[in-house]
Amino acid sequence: MVTTEESSYHTVKIWDVSNLSNVELVGEYLGSSHLAHNVQVKGRYVFISHYEAGITVIDIADPTQPVEVTKFDTYPAGESPAFHGCWGAYPYAQNGMVYASDIEGYLTILQFDSAITGVRKSPVPGRVALAQNHPNPFNNSTTIGYQLPIYSDVTIKIYNLLGQNVRTLVDRQQAAGRHTVVWDGRDDSGNAMASGVYFYRLTQNGISVDRKLMLLK
């Protein structure tokens, strides 16, 4: 299942719903405008009306690593997270055309040919993303995945429900790309934390992303 939040800097999220009692976030994507409206899924491709970024197509053959394969900027005037540009995508027409409607009243008709999208590859991520930890809930340890678009300072910290920083997992410069870090359920002093809900936060270049996790003993 693929969802959007239609809020600035909130990613398009790909979920594994094969087990409804344990729905898991497995992949994320966000285009250049940092604001997605909605999605339409056709086979392995997701057609996203991405406001000022226009219509964007990602390949989710591997849902853990969505790959942008093509886009058409229907709103060349900007790339900001604002409510302009493409807010409707329809790829299901019998004639094979893809229809993109803009909030300003324009209709763009395109033809998508998967044969010319090229060989799938794992490019440098175009945005900051923080994955759901796995496993969750956890006992001894859990792994947190994240990705960075550029070489930069990055921190990942664990907080309790009072907002107190109990553990700093990452505090250094890192290269662009995908990374992982493991939390062993202990604080910065090496003390085992109590069972409960905690939050982990990634901060990079002034952008912060939070997620919730649960420690069970």
Side-chain angles (χ1 to χ4, degrees):
M1 183 173 68
V2 185
T3 63
T4 66
E5 298 184 50
E6 202 179 3
S7 299
S8 301
Y9 299 99
H10 285 68
T11 56
V12 175
K13 294 177 172 58
I14 305 165
W15 307 85
D16 180 355
V17 296
S18 57
N19 181 356
L20 292 178
S21 64
N22 185 30
V23 174
E24 182 180 3
L25 178 65
V26 295
E28 295 180 281
Y29 166 84
L30 191 62
S32 56
S33 70
H34 305 295
L35 177 64
H37 182 225
N38 58 23
V39 298
Q40 303 291 338
V41 181
K42 186 177 181 181
R44 63 191 279 180
Y45 297 104
V46 178
F47 295 76
I48 308 171
S49 49
H50 220 302
Y51 282 113
E52 291 196 8
I55 185 169
T56 305
V57 183
I58 61 174
D59 184 345
I60 57 169
D62 178 356
T64 67
Q65 295 189 34
V67 176
E68 182 182 307
V69 293
T70 191
K71 64 182 292 187
F72 186 87
D73 191 354
T74 63
Y75 190 83
E79 288 287 280
S80 64
F83 297 108
H84 305 119
C86 187
W87 72 330
Y90 186 82
Y92 309 115
Q94 292 184 354
N95 62 8
M97 298 299 181
V98 178
Y99 296 85
S101 59
D102 275 28
I103 199 169
E104 289 75 21
Y106 299 102
L107 177 67
T108 304
I109 303 175
L110 304 163
Q111 185 168 27
F112 174 71
D113 186 350
S114 60
I116 62 173
T117 57
V119 179
R120 294 183 74 248
K121 57 183 180 179
S122 296
V124 173
R127 79 292 182 202
V128 175
L130 181 62
Q132 185 64 52
N133 64 300
H134 182 78
N136 185 46
F138 76 99
N139 187 332
N140 294 323
S141 65
T142 188
T143 299
I144 297 169
Y146 59 101
Q147 58 186 32
L148 307 172
I150 59 173
Y151 181 85
S152 59
D153 293 318
V154 60
T155 63
I156 297 180
K157 298 183 178 183
I158 308 291
Y159 295 86
N160 61 21
L161 289 178
L162 298 176
Q164 299 167 326
N165 177 205
V166 298
R167 180 71 179 270
T168 298
L169 299 176
V170 177
D171 186 6
R172 61 182 180 275
Q173 291 188 322
Q174 288 190 309
R178 293 177 173 84
H179 305 269
T180 59
V181 65
V182 175
W183 185 37
D184 59 5
R186 297 180 179 274
D187 64 15
D188 282 327
S189 298
N191 302 311
M193 301 300 297
S195 296
V197 175
Y198 295 85
F199 293 87
Y200 57 104
R201 174 178 298 161
L202 179 152
T203 302
Q204 184 258 352
N205 280 1
I207 298 174
S208 293
V209 186
D210 295 354
R211 292 202 180 280
K212 181 173 63 175
L213 55 76
M214 180 174 291
L215 171 60
L216 289 179
K217 294 185 178 180

